[in-house]
Amino acid sequence: MNKDELPALHMDDRAFFDGVLACRLRPLAKAITLIESSRLDHQIRARSLLNALLPYTGKAIRLGISGAPGVGKSTFIEALGNYVIDQGHKLAVLTVDPSSAATGGSILGDKTRMETLSQRANAFIRPSPSAGNLGGVANKTREAMLLCEAAGFDVVIVETVGVGQSEIAVASMVDMFLLLQLPNAGDDLQAIKKGIVETADLIAINKTDLDPRAAAVTKAQWQSALKMLRPASPNWTPPVLTLSALKKEGLTEFWNVVLRYRNTLIPTGEFEEKRRRQAADWMWQIIHSRLDQCFQQHPAVKDALPGVTQKVFSGCITPAAAASSLLEAAQIFDFQES
């Protein structure tokens, strides 16, 4: 797309556009702040900016990394990030910090946990609050990922909070989803219970330097468990690796698996189909979110909600009947029989 053919952009957004394409970190950070804003005028500007930058996106390797707190995600990302930068790549890390349920606040301390990586010239680390969003993924993580791609970062890592099965949400926005585990983290039957495993493209046992024998046992257990599950892809069986992020061991093998994954799926067309499907899913998630906002802000719903809620509390009506009455009040659906 020729820059002269761009849709009309706000004056500041034109500077964001030029700055992002030039891979200047300050305009990139400001552009991400713009798309994260909840103000309506900012949301309109963000859509125009993203549409203008869309032709420059899509060329990065998108990795999602999940795992329970304490598994060493930040240490692993720092070690892997330094490794891929040394291989000539430019790396963007989008980390998600859990927000307080009481205050909505977030520490946003990932840069302090990735001290050496944050100082690399070809690295960009952006922490964002999860703000209660399902899956431990910040509300605008997908848009931030596109901005980073437009800025020329050819490897984008999304780190999630690590708080449960709902983290499979991150798998809907990345090319390859990694699940980090610890030695002695549980037997194969426990592994099968975790729905997150079904979306994993790679299992990595971290901190193997602490107990190599336990790591080998855990690896065998995971391999056995995975045999009982149907792979998400007909062309790829998730491997199980062992590594030590602290000792920087196993990083080369890990990165080779990432490259092999892409080289396996791209010729079959599955890679592009996966991205197309993710884009459609993203569209529907936005639609659902906007409909939910419109419904909650509808004047008739606001007026009726206290009374209807009280009837549910007192047991006078069922939740289903209450929902129907509120939807009818908003004139979204007509539940009357024809």
Side-chain angles (χ1 to χ4, degrees):
M1 177 185 294
N2 190 298
K3 292 186 180 182
D4 296 331
E5 300 174 354
L6 293 174
L9 291 175
H10 186 278
M11 181 175 62
D12 291 339
D13 301 338
R14 175 69 67 157
F16 290 162
F17 176 87
D18 293 334
V20 168
L21 290 186
C23 196
R24 295 199 297 270
L25 299 189
R26 185 174 179 83
L28 174 59
K30 286 187 172 182
I32 294 177
T33 299
L34 177 69
I35 67 173
E36 290 178 342
S37 173
S38 59
R39 283 178 43 177
L40 179 59
D41 59 327
H42 287 178
Q43 292 177 15
I44 294 172
R45 288 171 52 194
R47 286 198 292 270
S48 297
L49 178 61
L50 284 168
N51 281 334
L53 289 169
L54 191 61
Y56 304 94
T57 67
K59 298 179 177 64
I61 299 174
R62 303 170 181 174
L63 296 178
I65 297 179
S66 183
V71 75
K73 292 190 297 294
S74 295
T75 303
F76 171 72
I77 291 173
E78 180 168 46
L80 178 65
N82 282 312
Y83 175 84
V84 298
I85 289 174
D86 289 341
Q87 303 301 308
H89 294 282
K90 297 179 66 175
L91 173 74
V93 181
L94 303 175
T95 67
V96 183
D97 272 10
S99 301
S100 168
T103 66
S106 186
I107 297 175
L108 303 177
D110 291 274
K111 284 192 175 182
T112 63
R113 291 186 280 130
M114 303 180 193
E115 185 175 358
T116 61
L117 183 60
S118 64
Q119 297 175 1
R120 299 292 298 266
N122 287 329
F124 174 73
I125 302 175
R126 173 72 181 209
S128 298
S130 62
N133 195 61
L134 179 65
V137 180
N139 206 26
K140 299 295 184 178
T141 301
R142 293 177 176 87
E143 287 90 342
M145 182 167 57
L146 292 181
L147 289 177
C148 291
E149 290 183 348
F153 291 97
D154 59 347
V155 179
V156 179
I157 293 177
V158 179
E159 179 199 4
T160 63
V161 176
V163 290
Q165 292 186 11
S166 61
E167 280 205 80
I168 60 175
V170 73
S172 67
M173 67 178 72
V174 297
D175 302 324
M176 191 174 194
F177 180 56
L178 162 68
L179 179 61
L180 276 181
Q181 288 290 294
L182 290 171
N184 288 323
D187 59 28
D188 51 358
L189 293 180
Q190 290 175 317
I192 293 174
K193 293 178 183 177
K194 299 179 180 179
I196 193 173
V197 177
E198 297 177 342
T199 63
D201 301 302
L202 171 60
I203 309 291
I205 313 299
N206 191 23
K207 300 186 179 182
T208 58
D209 55 295
L210 298 180
D211 192 339
R213 182 179 178 279
V217 172
T218 302
K219 177 179 179 178
Q221 290 174 339
W222 276 100
Q223 289 174 325
S224 177
L226 289 173
K227 291 178 181 178
M228 302 178 66
L229 298 174
R230 177 178 297 178
S233 166
N235 301 301
W236 180 261
T237 300
V240 182
L241 304 179
T242 56
L243 55 87
S244 171
L246 184 63
K247 300 292 185 180
K248 300 178 177 56
E249 297 172 351
L251 298 178
T252 299
E253 182 183 5
F254 174 87
W255 188 243
N256 286 338
V257 170
V258 172
L259 298 179
R260 191 171 83 242
Y261 175 83
R262 284 171 56 89
N263 292 336
T264 299
L265 267 60
I266 288 177
T268 67
E270 184 179 349
F271 188 86
E272 287 302 319
E273 175 58 27
K274 182 176 183 179
R275 285 198 171 184
R276 287 193 292 266
R277 189 168 59 249
Q278 288 176 348
D281 291 343
W282 181 4
M283 176 190 72
W284 279 109
Q285 288 181 31
I286 293 173
I287 291 173
H288 293 156
S289 177
R290 299 263 175 87
L291 285 175
D292 181 62
Q293 292 175 2
C294 290
F295 175 74
Q296 294 188 44
Q297 295 169 3
H298 195 286
V301 173
K302 287 184 176 181
D303 291 341
L305 186 58
V308 172
T309 302
Q310 185 57 44
K311 290 181 180 179
V312 173
F313 286 164
S314 62
C316 296
I317 59 174
T318 66
S324 297
S325 66
L326 290 172
L327 289 168
E328 290 174 7
Q331 298 182 341
I332 295 178
F333 296 105
D334 183 3
F335 282 84
Q336 300 299 322
E337 293 182 0
S338 57

